[in-house]
């Protein structure tokens, strides 16, 4: 899980926006507008089956919000039985470290899921460095430390499949 949010709904969205506002020094008026926009988006998405609608005078894609609000991460995680690797960048302004702690407590309390947490002090939400081609494309190059952590975890938590038995013709 990369920078997971174990929560859902409007309350979590508002919490995330308040944290971002504090980190990015938003003024109160801007924060209120963002929260109002979140609330209206959630309300409108929940009251329609249409994919598009207008919020605060702007055309918005509502289907993604409706689909996202229909998922309860707590219910999803209850069905997981495989080992879980949780990765988090400590400079993540999208998902605060408290969410990793919450997920750790949830998984521990369930008692059935083996899990590991790897935090990276110098990385943000996308686990790498933003780079561009100088023209128009921007992308993140994932940090080698993150890739090594994933590789090492997979080495410890995967089982090699047995080789297929030879059939009577001697072919595999």
């Amino acid at each position: 899980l990369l920078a997971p949010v174990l929560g859902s709904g409007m309350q979590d969205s508002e919490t995330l926006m308040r944290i971002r506002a504090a980190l990015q020094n938003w003024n109160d008026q801007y924060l209120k507008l963002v929260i109002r926009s979140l609330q209206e988006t959630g309300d409108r998405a929940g009251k329609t089956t249409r994919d598009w609608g207008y919020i605060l005078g702007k055309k918005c894609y509502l289907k993604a919000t409706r689909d996202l609000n229909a998922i309860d991460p707590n219910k999803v995680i209850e069905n997981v039985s495989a080992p879980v690797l949780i990765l988090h960048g400590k400079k993540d302004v999208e998902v605060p470290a408290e969410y990793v702690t919450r997920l750790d407590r949830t998984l521990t309390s369930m008692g059935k899921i083996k899990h590991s947490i790897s935090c990276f002090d110098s990385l943000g939400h996308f686990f790498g460095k933003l780079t561009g081609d100088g023209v128009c494309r921007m992308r993140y190059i994932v940090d080698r430390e993150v890739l090594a952590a994933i590789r090492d975890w997979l080495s410890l938590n995967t089982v090699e499949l047995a080789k297929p038995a030879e059939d009577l013709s001697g072919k595999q």
Side-chain angles (χ1 to χ4, degrees):
L1 301 172
L2 302 170
V5 175
L6 185 68
S8 60
M10 183 51 61
Q11 184 177 358
D12 250 15
S13 296
E14 284 186 34
T15 300
L16 289 172
M17 286 304 112
R18 289 182 191 287
I19 291 167
R20 181 181 286 174
L23 290 170
Q24 297 177 345
N25 298 317
W26 293 354
N27 66 44
D28 287 341
Q29 184 178 1
Y30 184 71
L31 176 59
K32 287 176 184 175
L33 180 64
V34 169
I35 289 173
R36 186 173 140 221
S37 176
L38 280 170
Q39 290 168 338
E40 284 195 30
T41 303
D43 290 347
R44 296 230 178 136
K47 292 177 182 174
T48 184
T49 57
R50 301 182 92 174
D51 291 349
W52 291 88
Y54 285 88
I55 297 168
L56 301 177
K58 302 288 181 186
K59 191 171 185 178
C60 299
Y61 186 61
L62 300 175
K63 184 179 183 314
T65 299
R66 187 173 52 252
D67 291 348
L68 190 59
N69 286 342
I71 298 170
D72 181 354
N74 294 296
K75 296 277 187 217
V76 172
I77 206 77
E78 287 174 3
N79 295 316
V80 173
S81 60
V84 175
L85 172 62
I86 303 162
L87 303 172
H88 193 269
K90 288 189 177 179
K91 291 188 176 181
D92 189 336
V93 297
E94 304 290 325
V95 179
E98 123 191 7
Y99 281 69
V100 173
T101 304
R102 186 190 308 175
L103 179 56
D104 180 40
R105 281 193 311 263
T106 300
L107 292 172
T108 300
S109 71
M110 292 171 68
K112 66 177 185 174
I113 300 173
K114 177 182 174 185
H115 64 283
S116 303
I117 299 172
S118 292
C119 292
F120 302 91
D121 291 334
S122 63
L123 298 176
H125 190 67
F126 296 102
F127 299 97
K129 181 180 177 186
L130 183 63
T131 187
D133 64 6
V135 180
C136 63
R137 290 188 212 141
M138 298 298 289
R139 63 188 171 95
Y140 281 87
I141 297 176
V142 177
D143 188 89
R144 290 181 183 270
E145 187 180 352
V146 173
L147 296 174
I150 294 169
R151 180 199 61 224
D152 294 346
W153 186 86
L154 285 171
S155 294
L156 293 171
N157 290 282
T158 54
V159 177
E160 188 174 324
L161 297 175
K163 293 182 180 179
E166 289 186 28
D167 66 14
L168 297 176
S169 66
K171 297 179 186 177
Q172 289 193 23

